Amino acid sequence: MMRDSKYGKKTSLHSIVVGWVSLVLGLCVLPVSVGSVAFAQEDKVQVPAPEWRGLHVDVSRHFFEPAVLKQLMDRMAAKGFNRLHLHLTDGPGWRLEIKRYPRLTAVGAWRKLLPAGAWNWKDHEIGNHFAECYGGYYTQETMRELIAYGAKRGIMLVPEIDMPGHAYASLVAYPELALEPPPACKLGRDVWDVEKEHVRRFAKEVLDEVMALFPPGTPIHLGGDEVEPHLLSFEQQRVFMQEMVDYVQAKGYPAITWDEAACNGVRGQWVMLWRAERQAEVLALGMPVILCPNSHFYFDYPQSEEEAAPGDHVITVDTVRSFRMPTGANVLGVQGNVWTEHIRTPERLFYMAFPRAKVMAEAFFKEDNKESAEK
Ligand code: ACM
């Protein structure tokens, strides 16, 4: 465990003793009346800035040039963020060069260009053979440059290779990985056939290249979200994800998964909590957790009622600010997630990420003496 800070570390500041009153120490702020003298017994809770101050960008749905990520890191560093989580792979595009499997990017990083604004899975076609293609990817050399750029600014890049679902682009590139071959497996059925030896070997060889690229100790995010149990049983998912978690951890890279894997019994990794309704269940597991609940920290959701369509969950700056950090749990920190189905341009990316990211930083990143962690 590489934790250097913890929520709820108490610093007693008792300094007032009045007359004969001997009060029980260790209570939260408690106004006490002694005769006509009223005072506040201070027992403030030192809340250090969390270890994980993250922003996530989905570069699969839409690709963002390295220069945009550098600009983003500049803005992040100015606000006190220290982790940039890159969602590098998903159904609509594979964005990191893997030398052993060149078709992942030669084929899987490209798709038929759709009219601006259109986002409909059934219209998406992966491949590089269309008259007009949309896409792009980071070469390993570019990724090294981005890692170094972030490191100079105190920002660690955290790569995510999402498995075993959200895999459509990789399945078009290598159909032999598929449980159900493309194109039939679009729309949430795009899953690797994890029981197959060659599929597990593929996953590990991809992870080998990712680990060779990122400095030892960098957490490797393995995804693990949103695979329906009628495709892969929970037990099949658990066994596969546990094998991958153990694989990277044995090589000195902490593993992260989305909360599904933890709820499904995978152990030993850090957990990214995104399903707000599962927060209590995940915290009770006692595993290290990064909080990015979709109730408060999904920055692709509309940020005002004016921008929302009927039924949308609106996340305003006040929603972000209103989040209550749980105490007593193994919380590494918080993260804002920017999914990009409907975010195509750098301007829109920045517009959606900030000012909510700024408010997140103001509310949660400062060293602070909160009056009481229970408040
Ligand atoms: C997620 O939003 N599926 C992590």
Side-chain angles (χ1 to χ4, degrees), residues 222 237-249 255-271 281-288:
L222 303 169
Q237 293 182 47
R238 188 192 65 74
V239 169
F240 173 75
M241 291 304 292
Q242 189 69 62
E243 188 173 336
M244 297 305 141
V245 164
D246 294 346
Y247 186 72
V248 297
Q249 303 222 133
I256 302 179
T257 67
W258 295 111
D259 57 68
E260 283 92 330
C263 292
N264 197 17
V266 179
R267 291 294 177 266
Q269 78 279 27
W270 300 351
V271 184
E281 175 186 343
V282 168
L283 292 179
L285 295 172
M287 300 165 77

Side-chain angles (χ1 to χ4, degrees), residues 287-300:
M287 300 165 77
V289 176
I290 296 141
L291 293 167
C292 43
N294 57 357
S295 52
H296 290 74
F297 297 153
Y298 264 36
F299 296 166
D300 54 309

Side-chain angles (χ1 to χ4, degrees), residues 166 225-226 258 260 274 298 337 339:
H166 289 276
D225 57 325
E226 296 188 304
W258 295 111
E260 283 92 330
W274 73 277
Y298 264 36
N337 288 356
W339 300 96

Side-chain angles (χ1 to χ4, degrees), residues 84-312:
L84 175 57
H85 166 183
L86 292 177
H87 185 74
L88 290 166
T89 71
D90 209 300
W94 184 287
R95 305 291 177 213
L96 180 65
E97 176 189 30
I98 301 294
K99 291 184 194 288
R100 195 176 176 100
Y101 294 99
R103 287 174 60 82
L104 287 172
T105 45
V107 174
W110 305 98
R111 62 183 188 243
K112 189 173 161 188
L113 182 68
L114 294 180
W119 184 264
N120 190 340
W121 244 117
K122 75 177 163 31
D123 298 330
H124 274 307
E125 291 182 62
I126 296 285
N128 58 13
H129 55 286
F130 305 106
E132 283 188 292
C133 282
Y134 171 87
Y137 65 93
Y138 309 106
T139 63
Q140 294 196 358
E141 195 185 336
T142 300
M143 187 53 75
R144 271 195 201 92
E145 195 186 310
L146 288 169
I147 293 166
Y149 190 92
K152 281 204 189 108
R153 288 155 184 80
I155 294 178
M156 180 189 281
L157 266 67
V158 177
E160 179 184 353
I161 306 294
D162 200 353
M163 59 184 79
H166 289 276
Y168 191 69
S170 64
L171 302 184
V172 177
Y174 293 99
E176 62 271 27
L177 300 171
L179 190 62
E180 183 184 354
C185 64
K186 270 185 188 174
L187 284 169
R189 304 201 313 272
D190 50 334
V191 172
W192 293 347
D193 186 357
V194 299
E195 298 270 300
K196 295 279 179 354
E197 182 57 37
H198 72 269
V199 173
R200 296 204 300 279
R201 189 168 59 245
F202 163 84
K204 288 176 183 172
E205 286 171 349
V206 167
L207 292 172
D208 284 342
E209 289 199 29
V210 174
M211 288 186 280
L213 198 50
F214 285 81
T218 306
I220 308 290
H221 198 311
L222 303 169
D225 57 325
E226 296 188 304
V227 176
E228 294 290 337
H230 67 268
L231 297 169
L232 287 181
S233 72
F234 287 132
E235 183 58 9
Q236 285 174 307
Q237 293 182 47
R238 188 192 65 74
V239 169
F240 173 75
M241 291 304 292
Q242 189 69 62
E243 188 173 336
M244 297 305 141
V245 164
D246 294 346
Y247 186 72
V248 297
Q249 303 222 133
K251 294 178 186 256
Y253 290 80
I256 302 179
T257 67
W258 295 111
D259 57 68
E260 283 92 330
C263 292
N264 197 17
V266 179
R267 291 294 177 266
Q269 78 279 27
W270 300 351
V271 184
M272 255 185 201
L273 182 287
W274 73 277
R275 297 179 300 173
E277 72 280 9
R278 297 297 188 108
Q279 181 168 306
E281 175 186 343
V282 168
L283 292 179
L285 295 172
M287 300 165 77
V289 176
I290 296 141
L291 293 167
C292 43
N294 57 357
S295 52
H296 290 74
F297 297 153
Y298 264 36
F299 296 166
D300 54 309
Y301 288 9
Q303 49 193 318
S304 69
E305 291 293 349
E306 294 73 54
E307 295 184 355
D312 279 352

